[in-house]
Each structure stands twice: as C-alpha cells, then as structure tokens.
Amino acid sequence: MNPATDRLIDTRGYIFLAVLSAAAVLVPILTLVIPDESAFAMPPYLVALFGKYLCFALLAVALDLVWGYCGILSLGHGAFFALGGYAMGMYLMRQIGTRGVYAHPVLPDFMVFLNWKELPVAWWGFQSFPYAMAMVLLIPGLLAFIFGWLAFRSRVTGVYLSIITQAMTYALMLAFFRNDMGFGGNNGLTDFKDLLGFNVQATETRVALFVASCIALGGGYLVARAVVTSKFGKVVIAIRDAESRTRFLGYRVETYKLAVFVLSAMMAGLAGALYVPQVGIINPGEFSPANSIEAVIWVAVGGRGTLVGAALGAFMVNWGKTFFTGALPEYWLFALGGLFVLVTLFMPKGVIGLIDQYKVRRASKKPTAEG
Amino acid sequence: MTRYAQGRAPARVQAISLQSQARNRFIETFSLLLAAAFVLMAALLIAPKARAQSPTDVLTYLTTDRFPDTERALNEIGTSGLATAPQIVEALAANRLLFDAAARKLYFADESGALFDAATGAPAAGISPDDLKRVRLNNAVRRSLNAARGALTLMSPDPARRRAAAEAVFKSRDASALPLVESALEKESTPAIRKKLEEARAAIIAADASAPEARRLESLETLKERGDQDALGTLATIAAASEGRVKTSAEAGVAAIQSRLAMWRNVQNVWYGLSLGSVLLLAAIGLAITFGVMGVINMAHGEMVMLGAYTTFVVQEWARTNHPELMNYSLFIAIPLAFLVTGAVGIFIERVVIRFLYGRPLETLLATFGISLILQQAVRTIFGANNREVSAPAFMSGSFDFGALSIGYGRMWIIVFAMAVFAALLFVLRATSFGLRMRAVTQNRRMASSMGIDTNRIDALAFGLGSGIAGMAGVALSQIDNVSPNLGQSYIIDSFMVVVFGGVGNLWGTLLGALTLGVANKFLEPVAGAVLGKILLLVFIILFIQKRPRGLFALKGRAVEA
C-alpha cells in the first residue's frame, strides 16, 4: 500500500485539510464580506448546498471507516445519520416555543394537532442544546452498540450483515412514519426557527453552519485517520483481510468491530445533526434503505479505504445529482445506476485508485522521478 | 409498502349459511308449526292493522299528499296484489310518481317521461305531467319505501334479487314484511333462498315483543344457527330490548356466535396468512436460487418481478386490441412469456455484469442495486410512472363461501400457483440433469468443475431460472398489487427476510419461512396494527439471525464457508 499510510496525516490528507480550511475561510468572505453585486459573491443557497455536501462527506467518511477498513458493509448507515438528524430536529422544534401555529409554549405543533396533552418522555431535555448534542452522538451510538453487539457476537458477517442492517433502517423508517411514535410521522420535523438563538434562515447562520460542517468533516477525518493509523487500526484492517486468522491470533474480533461500528455511527449521527438545520427538515424518508445504499456508492466512487476518497466521492456524486435532477431529471437514476455498475466493474478502487494508478504509470515511465 | 396484504378487492366475511341435516329437520317441524300458527299470527299481527280493502285503496292513499297515508300505502302495497306495485314503488323512489289530487288518480312516469296509469299500467294518453303533483317523500316514508322495495323483490323472478331482498328484510326486521315473507316462503323452491327467508322470518318474530315466547325462542335458535355478524347484531339488539327467557336465550346466542366468529377469525387469519405467504414465496423463491447457488445477492430481483407484471400488462393490451377473445386466457400467455422475458434479462445481466464479480458478494450487491435503478427508470420512461391497469380474468374474480369465510378465487389461485411453481422447481432441481449440475455447483463449485460441469453455463442458467421465476411471480402479483415501476421495491426486503429466515440454498426452508412470516404477519396485524406488526417481524428476524446466523435450515458442510 501507500508507504505513507502510517503517518497521521499523509500528503493526500494535507491537501484535503488544506482545501477544507480554504473553504472554511473563503466561503464566509465570499458570502458576507464581498457585496452581492460582485461577480465573486456567493449566493446563500450555494452555501447551504455545499454545507449539505459536507455533511454527506462526513457520512461517507464514517461509512468508509467501517466498510473500507473493517469490511463491514453497512446498508443502514442512513439510520444513524437520520437519528442524529432527529435529535437535532427535536432541539430545533423545542426552540420554536410560542411561535408555532398553535403557539403552545411546550408542545410542538404536530402534537397539539394530534391532541396530545403532555410532552412524551423521549422529548424531555431537548430544549437544552448540550443535552441535544449529547443525544446526537449517544442515540446512534447506542443503537449501533446494541445492534453490533448482537450481530458481531454471533458472527453475522458479509451479505447477511448487510441485509439485516438494511432491515434495521427499513424497520426504523416504518416506525418513524407512524404518528404514534411522536416524531412528527409522515411530515417529520420542520419549520425550524432558531439555533442557539440565531435564525436558521439567516445567511450568517448558514455560513456558521457551513464552517461548523467543515470543522466537523476535518475533525471526523482526523479521528478516523487516528484510528486507522493506530495499532488498534492495524488489527481492524487485519479483521477486514482475514477475520478468522485474526481471531485465531487471539484478538477479540467482535470487540474491535463493535468499537469501530459505534464510532462510525456517532460520526454519522453528527453529520445528520449538521445536515438538518441546513436543509430545514428531517422526515422518515431519510431512513429509506435507498439512501443508505446511495451513501455506499459515494464511498465506492471515491475509493473505499482511503477516507479522503469517500469525502471526494460524496461531493462528486451529489454534485452530479444536483446537476442531473436540475437539467435532466429523467436520467438521474440511469446515471446513478450506471455509476453503481461501472464503478464496481471497472473502478474497484474508485477515483483515488485511478489517481494512484496514473501516478504509478508515470513513475514507471520516468524511473528517476521517484527513485 | 405493506400493500400486498390487501388484495384489489378486499375480501370480507360475508353472510354464511350452514347446511345440516339437523337444520333441515328443524325446518320441517317448523313449517308444520307454522301452518298451525298461521291463523293465530294473522290475528296477532295482521288484524290489528287496518288492511287495505282492495288494491285501489292503496292507490287512493297515495293521492292524499299526506306522509302518514303514503307510509301506510307503502306498508300495504306488497300484500295488495297490485300488478303494478313494483313500478309504483320504483317510480316513487325515483321521484316519478305523480297524482291528480282532484280525480284521485295515480300515474307513474318512466325514464323517458311517458305517463302510465298506476292502477292498470296502461299508457295514460292525453294527460300532461304539468297538471299533476309529485308524491312527496320524507325520511319516514323513505324507510317504508325501502322496506316495500325489499318486500316486492321477494317475489322477483331473479333468484339473486330474491336472495338480496330476503337479506334486506333480515336486516330491517320490519314486522310489516312478515306476511310477505310468509307468502314468499310458500312459493320459494331454492333451498338457499328458503333458508334466507326463514332467517328473515325468524329475525322478525324474535324481535317482535308481542309474539308468543315459544316462537320467539325458536326464532332465536334459527338466528343463532345463522351465526354471522348480522345475526350477532340482531341478537344483541333483541337481548338488550327484551326480558326473561328471551333475553337469556338471546344472550346465550350472542355468546355462542361470538366464540364461533372468533374461531373463524383465526381460520381467516391463517388463510390470509397463507395467501400472503404464498406471495412472499413466489417473490423469494427465485432469490433463494440465485443466492443459494451462486451466493449472489441480487438486488435487482424485485425489478424482475416488476418486469413480469409489466409483461402481463403488455400481453393484456395486445389481447385487448388484437384478440379480445383471448382476454380470459391472457394470464396463461403471460406466465410463460414473463418467464422467458425475465429469464433472458437475467441471463443478460449475469453475462454482462455479475460474472465479473463472483467472489465479491458485496460488490455484486452494489452492482445489482445499480441495475435495479436502471430497470426502474427504464420502465418508468417507457410505461410512465403511473399505475397500470391489469384486469383479472373471469376465473379469478368472485368468491365462494367456506363456513364463515369468503374465499376469493384470486387469492386461492395465487396460492395454487405458488405451490405449483414450488413443486415444479423442486422437480427441476431433483429430477433433471440441469438440477443435478446446479446442486453440484452449489455444494462444491471447484469439485463440480473438475467433474466436467461447465460452471459458467450453470451460473448463467441458474440466474436465468431465478429471474424467470421472479417474472412468473410478477404475473401473479399483477393480480393483487398495483403494477407500477416501484412494484419490485416493496417486495425486495421482504424477500430477503424470507430467504435469510428460511436458510440459504434450501427450498423447503424458503417455503416454511415464507408461510411462517405470512401467517405471523396476519396474526400480528389485528393485535399490533399493520405497520407495527411488520416492524415486530423485522425485529424478530434481526434477532433470529443472531441465534441462527444461517437461517432455519442451514447448509452444512464445507459449502458453508465458501
């Protein structure tokens, strides 16, 4: 593999972090400082759009951590993303207060509409931002812990694991569609007003959220990188390549898998929490199995097991989606489907793999170049 | 997503009829009793009412323009013997009954507006509708009107209408209809309709507080024997309204019917569960083959089902325009055609994509998911995003009664079809050389290859077989579900659950898994609700996989770790 894999930040990582930092600095300037008339001014909707991509990229990095490094193909990571999103959405709902349609001081509109009298226990404490943020990490983490503990302990692997992760997110989707669940049913949570006292619609808040997403993605990347370059990470990679052999060497495979899975789920939850205020809605559709599979293709397109590639793939595929659904809505599913087939057939290492191949080929042409 | 459970025509437990010898004996004695009691009955029920002296009196009542008179006329028109009674009642219902207040003459108009004399039914010439007044209706009159319509149809020459009328009398328990029921009973020769009439009579007598207690008790027995939801309602009303022995008997009847209905509900749950299970079996069995033989997770399997359903649609469209006489047999054309079409698509996919991905199951999963997106969009582009109409042939519509259960022919044939496909597949796997080769490849690919089996060819054919079966499943599903580009998606996760639950590479496991999940789903539904029931099942399967990671019937031996 790449000789630099043992360093916390390799060359590729430096480039990635530099681009992220540049975005975190430039976007606020382009949006807030440069006057609107200027050709360089960035419209607020683009800020929200790129902010959304950053959240997807963080989800992709989380997925790459389990799939690329531990060999667990989770088709249910969208569930963790959505749960984080719901935790954030619940905080935002509680901030609406009396500004809702029914102006109830405590209950969100949909509960008043359903004629509920009291706040369900699940909603307690969500008026507090620190509590909500803790839940953003804890709820997906807890679900991943329970699910992973059950699955890894009984050695459910490969496609079986993929299918039951898919069943998990599907079951959650059905559950959240129910009004009785108390999370807004079909419509989900929306009509948000404030985040920490700032209007979520305001350009300044959007820019702040964008910067926060940059920091979260950079931080998530560094955490994932720290994990995979550590001794712990070596065992994780060993599990990916030869699970039984690692077990026979005396490592507790299920513990390692569980730790990586839970960490990844928490990152996905954080991504969801940043995603919700930027798009302004969270609904059960986020749990749909198709969303989770789409996240997998981001990782595959960028190159699994590279982290940077996952983020890159998320950007590319989602940019393509924005472009296609705007210009040729009929063809988006053809393009996405084709992408699934072509990437798995011809680009098993994704875009990053192509770049590496190109480098190797150039190096072999000029033998003196890299020594 | 949970739509497959409900058919296009939601079946409902309908009226049931129990035929037994004991019952027939009862009828005979009852008839004798009846004859004896008839005079008494007439005294009790008929005499107190001012009967119309002659048919023309009924007509006169209708010309007074007073609601009580109209009501009275309607109550008596059924027994008046008036030949034009049906036309009069129908005309009144349609607001076409007119009268001349001065001459006290009644006319009815037909749909074209032509006038007829109500007394004779002869065309009434020279009378302008403008000179006549309309017989008015209010809610009380309308009630009598409906009873009169019901009563008149008791004599209708059409058995279906007589039956419906007897049923209507049963539900209304209108005491004034009793004489009509009696006279209809005398003429009725069809046993099933006789039974309905007797039940109607029993309902009237049992509900009548002035009838003798012995007769009421007898009638209650008749109602109890009928034993369906309507009888339950009637008995409950009677129990609430009466006292003494009638009340106790009615209450006992209510309890008996309730336990009987509870039993039938369970039978119904099993039946619906089998129906759902056979649908799951059809959708999952092809998957079991591709997964079992090649270890390939085919996410595009649901789309094969969808292609099969669209094949049915195309065949029907072709038949509709070119050979209408084939419409009833279109499914028999569609089944083999769907098998060929989806089988060919399957082989194409295997040759072009999947064979490059053997040994990489996760990548296969992604690639086939991509194929499923392409197929969905392709169908959406060609046929449009809306649901397509696929009609049911005559032999699949309608239903028959089995005890308290109404069994739809559509569901029944789908169960039969699923079992036939299962048996055929079992035959192919067990008794043909292709099946032998396929099983050899499943058990040990390399050894099979060493023995000269062309594993590539077997892979392609197995994939084609699995896809073709999915296509045939699509033909069946087109009968009970909406044919839309999303059809396949609603089945794919369920199919996976069935295969994973039943165990890979074992057809019997798939059969048992499908039927178990189907029946469990239907028993959970009334308790937990459709959605929660499904969630519970998913959670159950997720937990089940922990206990038995390779399903109910796991393959044993070296193949497991392959």
Side-chain angles (χ1 to χ4, degrees):
Chain A
M1 269 198 131
N2 197 327
T5 41
D6 281 358
R7 291 210 312 266
L8 177 60
I9 310 176
D10 55 4
T11 327
R12 202 183 281 152
Y14 276 121
I15 298 172
F16 177 63
L17 290 176
V19 170
L20 268 186
S21 318
V25 174
L26 276 178
V27 167
I29 296 176
L30 289 179
T31 323
L32 299 177
V33 181
I34 300 210
D36 286 349
E37 308 80 55
S38 160
F40 294 101
M42 195 168 167
Y45 82 89
L46 267 188
V47 180
L49 188 67
F50 284 123
K52 204 172 89 175
Y53 291 175
L54 286 171
C55 299
F56 288 150
L58 182 54
L59 172 62
V61 168
L63 194 56
D64 194 21
L65 185 60
V66 284
W67 186 33
Y69 291 92
C70 199
I72 304 168
L73 176 55
S74 165
L75 295 183
H77 252 53
F80 304 127
F81 183 82
L83 282 175
Y86 263 98
M88 179 57 121
M90 284 157 79
Y91 163 75
L92 292 168
M93 286 306 266
R94 295 293 305 272
Q95 297 305 301
I96 296 174
T98 53
R99 285 168 296 176
V101 178
Y102 297 105
H104 196 285
V106 178
L107 295 187
D109 274 349
F110 75 89
M111 290 190 194
V112 182
F113 184 73
L114 289 174
N115 215 4
W116 290 11
K117 298 293 173 229
E118 282 171 20
L119 201 63
V121 183
W123 282 73
W124 291 3
F126 272 95
Q127 72 275 25
S128 140
F129 186 72
Y131 176 82
M133 285 307 101
M135 287 301 128
V136 161
L137 297 177
L138 283 181
I139 293 173
L142 188 69
L143 175 66
F145 182 81
I146 296 172
F147 188 86
W149 189 73
L150 287 167
F152 302 141
R153 202 182 43 128
S154 33
R155 301 189 189 169
V156 179
T157 52
V159 284
Y160 281 90
L161 187 78
S162 303
I163 289 172
I164 63 168
T165 51
Q166 190 176 34
M168 172 191 77
T169 191
Y170 182 60
L172 279 170
M173 177 177 79
L174 293 181
F176 273 76
F177 265 121
R178 286 161 49 89
N179 275 332
D180 308 357
M181 276 288 281
F183 297 105
N186 217 348
N187 300 323
L189 310 175
T190 186
D191 286 337
F192 308 132
K193 305 276 193 256
D194 288 352
L195 175 64
L196 290 170
F198 302 102
N199 182 359
V200 284
Q201 304 286 347
T203 313
E204 289 80 2
T205 321
R206 284 175 182 261
V207 170
L209 281 167
F210 176 86
V211 174
S213 306
C214 283
I215 295 171
L217 177 57
Y221 169 74
L222 286 177
V223 169
R225 193 70 202 158
V227 168
V228 299
T229 51
S230 66
K231 252 188 92 180
F232 175 87
K234 294 264 176 261
V235 181
V236 169
I237 293 171
I239 292 171
R240 174 192 72 186
D241 293 339
E243 181 167 338
S244 303
R245 199 174 294 184
T246 315
R247 185 176 287 122
F248 296 149
L249 285 172
Y251 291 100
R252 284 198 161 273
V253 167
E254 54 276 10
T255 318
Y256 283 86
K257 278 178 150 181
L258 190 58
V260 175
F261 194 60
V262 169
L263 175 67
S264 166
M266 286 173 150
M267 280 165 66
L270 181 63
L274 285 163
Y275 171 81
V276 166
Q278 302 193 59
V279 296
I281 186 168
I282 174 82
N283 63 30
E286 294 295 334
F287 282 104
S288 87
N291 277 15
S292 296
I293 297 195
E294 219 177 294
V296 172
I297 202 65
W298 305 337
V299 180
V301 166
R304 61 183 276 219
T306 58
L307 296 179
V308 175
L312 186 66
F315 259 97
M316 288 179 4
V317 176
N318 281 297
W319 181 82
K321 185 177 190 170
T322 310
F323 169 76
F324 265 107
T325 45
L328 304 158
E330 282 269 292
Y331 294 94
W332 165 241
L333 279 184
F334 284 129
L336 185 66
L339 202 59
F340 270 98
V341 176
L342 296 178
V343 166
T344 45
L345 280 183
F346 301 113
M347 291 165 53
K349 294 194 171 179
V351 172
I352 294 278
L354 284 188
I355 295 173
D356 284 347
Q357 250 178 22
Y358 174 71
K359 273 190 198 159
V360 170
R361 210 172 294 157
R362 215 173 51 167
S364 63
K365 273 186 195 158
K366 289 190 278 178
T368 49
E370 283 191 21
Chain B
M1 221 148 291
T2 55
R3 209 185 307 113
Y4 52 76
Q6 286 79 36
R8 192 169 283 149
R12 193 173 63 80
V13 183
Q14 286 181 343
I16 46 95
S17 51
L18 260 180
Q19 198 84 41
S20 69
Q21 290 190 328
R23 167 112 189 79
N24 281 337
R25 275 202 299 280
F26 175 66
I27 292 170
E28 280 165 29
T29 39
F30 193 78
S31 315
L32 281 173
L33 261 172
L34 191 85
F38 191 76
V39 183
L40 180 70
M41 288 301 299
L44 275 170
L45 285 159
I46 304 164
K49 299 197 172 212
R51 306 265 318 143
Q53 298 305 309
S54 73
T56 41
D57 282 359
V58 173
L59 298 182
T60 323
Y61 281 133
L62 282 169
T63 56
T64 58
D65 201 17
R66 287 177 55 233
F67 290 129
D69 283 341
T70 314
E71 222 179 312
R72 194 167 169 189
L74 285 171
N75 288 343
E76 290 163 12
I77 196 165
T79 42
S80 65
L82 195 66
T84 52
Q87 286 103 310
I88 293 176
V89 172
E90 289 310 314
L92 180 57
N95 258 329
R96 284 191 264 105
L97 191 65
L98 308 164
F99 69 93
D100 182 342
R104 297 220 140 192
K105 284 207 47 123
L106 197 64
Y107 303 93
F108 59 86
D110 67 3
E111 273 157 29
S112 63
L115 281 178
F116 297 89
D117 188 332
T120 57
I127 294 167
S128 157
D130 300 334
D131 302 335
L132 304 174
K133 274 187 78 177
R134 195 158 272 157
V135 180
R136 292 174 304 149
L137 291 171
N138 68 3
N139 279 342
V141 172
R142 244 176 230 116
R143 222 169 292 132
S144 304
L145 176 67
N146 284 337
R149 286 172 95 178
L152 282 171
T153 35
L154 282 175
M155 311 290 190
S156 159
D158 176 6
R161 294 194 64 188
R162 288 207 300 276
R163 192 188 169 99
E167 201 59 7
V169 174
F170 178 86
K171 278 180 189 145
S172 71
R173 302 193 290 277
D174 181 5
S176 62
L178 188 61
L180 262 168
V181 174
E182 302 277 13
S183 52
L185 255 175
E186 279 167 32
K187 289 181 203 154
E188 188 57 65
S189 54
T190 318
I193 301 176
R194 271 195 82 84
K195 212 166 122 57
K196 290 279 167 211
L197 284 169
E198 275 155 12
E199 282 162 5
R201 179 174 62 187
I204 296 171
I205 296 172
D208 185 357
S210 56
E213 195 178 53
R215 294 224 43 203
R216 294 188 71 190
L217 289 176
E218 266 172 41
S219 302
L220 285 175
E221 285 303 313
T222 314
L223 291 180
K224 196 154 86 181
E225 267 186 54
R226 176 177 159 124
D228 67 350
Q229 202 65 47
D230 292 327
L232 182 66
T234 312
L235 281 176
T237 324
I238 293 167
S242 45
E243 279 157 13
R245 285 177 58 198
V246 173
K247 188 182 177 73
T248 12
S249 171
E251 276 168 353
V254 167
I257 293 180
Q258 269 169 348
S259 69
R260 195 181 117 85
L261 284 180
M263 192 267 288
W264 279 108
R265 254 196 301 280
N266 286 336
V267 175
Q268 179 187 331
N269 280 341
V270 171
W271 170 250
Y272 282 4
L274 288 180
S275 163
L276 173 62
S278 61
V279 167
L280 288 177
L281 176 68
L282 276 174
I285 200 165
L287 202 64
I289 298 223
T290 48
F291 195 14
V293 177
M294 297 178 285
V296 163
I297 285 284
N298 182 14
M299 296 292 281
H301 187 78
E303 276 57 43
M304 298 296 167
V305 175
M306 175 198 63
L307 286 183
Y310 272 93
T311 308
T312 320
F313 167 71
V314 171
V315 167
Q316 284 202 349
E317 284 303 295
W318 170 82
R320 203 190 306 279
T321 48
N322 298 333
H323 296 276
E325 73 279 4
L326 286 179
M327 268 312 272
N328 254 338
Y329 308 98
S330 59
L331 288 191
F332 296 106
I333 308 169
I335 287 171
L337 201 63
F339 181 84
L340 292 178
V341 168
T342 53
V345 173
I347 290 177
F348 177 76
I349 292 173
E350 201 274 344
R351 285 289 94 185
V352 172
V353 178
I354 291 171
R355 74 177 164 131
F356 299 108
L357 296 169
Y358 284 129
R360 290 156 65 196
L362 298 182
E363 273 90 342
T364 318
L365 194 155
L366 294 179
T368 48
F369 183 75
I371 293 170
S372 85
L373 292 182
I374 295 174
L375 287 176
Q376 267 175 46
Q377 187 59 44
V379 167
R380 201 172 283 132
T381 310
I382 298 170
F383 293 99
N386 295 335
N387 292 345
R388 287 298 173 164
E389 186 68 34
V390 172
S391 60
F395 69 91
M396 282 189 76
S397 42
S399 62
F400 65 94
D401 289 339
F402 173 76
L405 202 61
S406 155
I407 291 181
Y409 283 110
R411 276 173 192 282
M412 192 191 72
W413 283 118
I414 285 177
I415 294 181
V416 170
F417 180 64
M419 294 307 146
V421 168
F422 181 79
L425 197 57
L426 218 53
F427 175 80
V428 168
L429 285 184
R430 301 256 157 187
T432 64
S433 104
F434 166 60
L436 182 69
R437 279 152 210 265
M438 216 167 96
R439 281 185 293 141
V441 175
T442 312
Q443 280 168 12
N444 195 327
R445 174 174 296 270
R446 290 175 63 191
M447 185 59 81
S449 177
S450 311
M451 293 298 181
I453 295 174
D454 183 352
T455 53
N456 277 331
R457 204 171 139 260
I458 294 293
D459 283 338
L461 288 178
F463 202 82
L465 179 66
S467 304
I469 289 171
M472 296 203 293
V475 179
L477 288 183
S478 73
Q479 293 297 313
I480 56 167
D481 205 340
N482 300 318
V483 178
S484 77
N486 301 328
L487 173 71
Q489 282 191 316
S490 31
Y491 289 96
I492 188 72
I493 289 189
D494 291 307
S495 310
F496 274 132
M497 290 301 120
V498 167
V499 173
V500 165
F501 179 64
V504 172
N506 189 324
L507 285 188
W508 289 104
T510 311
L511 174 73
L512 196 69
L515 296 185
T516 312
L517 291 185
V519 173
N521 202 346
K522 285 297 160 190
F523 271 94
L524 277 173
E525 243 171 43
V527 186
V531 178
L532 201 59
K534 202 160 161 65
I535 296 171
L536 286 176
L537 269 189
L538 284 174
V539 172
F540 163 74
I541 293 174
I542 290 175
L543 292 176
F544 177 84
I545 294 297
Q546 322 292 333
K547 263 278 161 257
R548 301 197 60 153
R550 295 195 180 265
L552 271 180
F553 299 94
L555 275 187
K556 292 188 180 68
R558 291 184 192 196
V560 174
E561 286 300 323

